[in-house]
Amino acid sequence: ERTLGVALAYAQTTAGKRTAVTMLIDDPFNRNDSKGVVDPASAYTAKAQSDSAWVGAGRHSAALAQRAEVRFTGLTPGAEYAIRFFASVAGNDGGLSYVARYTVGGVSQDLDASDNLQTMAVFPSVFADANGEIRFTVGVSPNGTTRHAHLSVVELEAVTLNSAVRADIDGDGDVDANDFNAFEVAHGLRLPQADLAIPEGTFDFLDYVFMLDAMNRNQ
């Protein structure tokens, strides 16, 4: 039976600290296998390199209609993240290859998993929405003849400073009502310190969402 719903609850950081981030599968992969190439020099475990989930079909034309959709939740609304995808499959499916297309926020990148040891598809700047979510899809690339698109590892890394640091407007080491009052004044004057969510000169409701979330997380 194909996995649907929570795939990873309360993900841990690389240091082993539990977080509020959850990964949900909204549109499932078809199957999983353990056909990846293991590189002893890799930073990933042998199991992470060998195991993968895949989506596709017996023919390229049919595989194009298949797609898996995954969602990260529990992120800081409006915050910036980097996402990296890795996949590896031994061989090249009789010359058809294993070229996956990963799409995040309308931007797509292709990755050939055939005998892959290190190459990744990297999205260096992705922003969580107002609900603190980021969605991505996995499917076969329309370029070529690939039948199966694999995903072995996905990394999520916060790019922005810790929300408590950014929202500490008065710089006294905490996030409280004083910071919110200072934020409102700065936001009205369109000062840089109030451009919290997406620091590109857009002063909007996402800044308020970011501020309130930081207050809730740092009470």
Side-chain angles (χ1 to χ4, degrees):
E1 184 176 351
R2 299 191 296 176
T3 299
L4 190 65
V6 177
L8 178 63
Y10 307 113
Q12 294 184 346
T13 66
T14 53
K17 183 178 179 180
R18 186 179 179 182
T19 73
V21 177
T22 296
M23 188 169 72
L24 302 170
I25 297 179
D26 293 329
D27 200 351
F29 292 85
N30 293 111
R31 297 182 183 278
N32 57 72
D33 59 36
S34 300
K35 300 179 180 179
V37 180
V38 176
D39 178 7
S42 173
Y44 301 131
T45 65
K47 186 171 179 60
Q49 296 176 72
S50 64
D51 292 357
S52 66
W54 61 263
V55 62
R59 300 191 312 271
H60 175 69
S61 58
L64 290 171
Q66 301 294 314
R67 185 187 67 173
E69 182 171 338
V70 182
R71 172 166 46 111
F72 285 111
T73 68
L75 306 175
T76 301
E80 185 181 13
Y81 295 85
I83 301 180
R84 293 178 284 271
F85 298 98
F86 172 79
S88 177
V89 187
N92 63 6
D93 194 19
L96 300 178
S97 296
Y98 294 103
V99 184
R101 172 159 292 189
Y102 307 108
T103 302
V104 186
V107 177
S108 298
Q109 290 192 42
D110 289 354
L111 174 69
D112 189 352
S114 306
D115 293 322
N116 185 31
L117 296 178
Q118 297 181 345
T119 304
M120 307 180 77
V122 180
F123 295 77
S125 180
V126 181
F127 294 93
D129 65 17
N131 296 317
E133 297 182 351
I134 292 176
R135 299 171 185 267
F136 67 86
T137 61
V138 181
V140 301
S141 172
N143 300 321
T145 54
T146 292
R147 302 184 302 161
H148 302 149
H150 288 251
L151 176 61
S152 303
V153 177
V154 56
E155 296 183 19
L156 178 72
E157 180 181 4
V159 175
T160 53
L161 293 174
N162 181 280
S163 62
V165 174
R166 301 193 65 205
D168 184 14
I169 305 296
D170 60 14
D172 65 352
D174 60 15
V175 183
D176 53 22
N178 292 330
D179 294 297
F180 185 82
N181 292 335
F183 162 77
E184 283 201 303
V185 173
H187 201 270
L189 296 173
R190 301 178 69 84
L191 299 177
Q193 60 265 40
D195 192 10
L196 295 176
I198 304 176
E200 55 181 17
T202 56
F203 293 82
D204 54 25
F205 78 98
L206 280 177
D207 298 314
Y208 277 87
V209 172
F210 187 102
M211 185 69 194
L212 293 172
D213 180 75
M215 292 180 67
N216 289 333
R217 289 172 182 266
N218 298 281
Q219 287 180 342

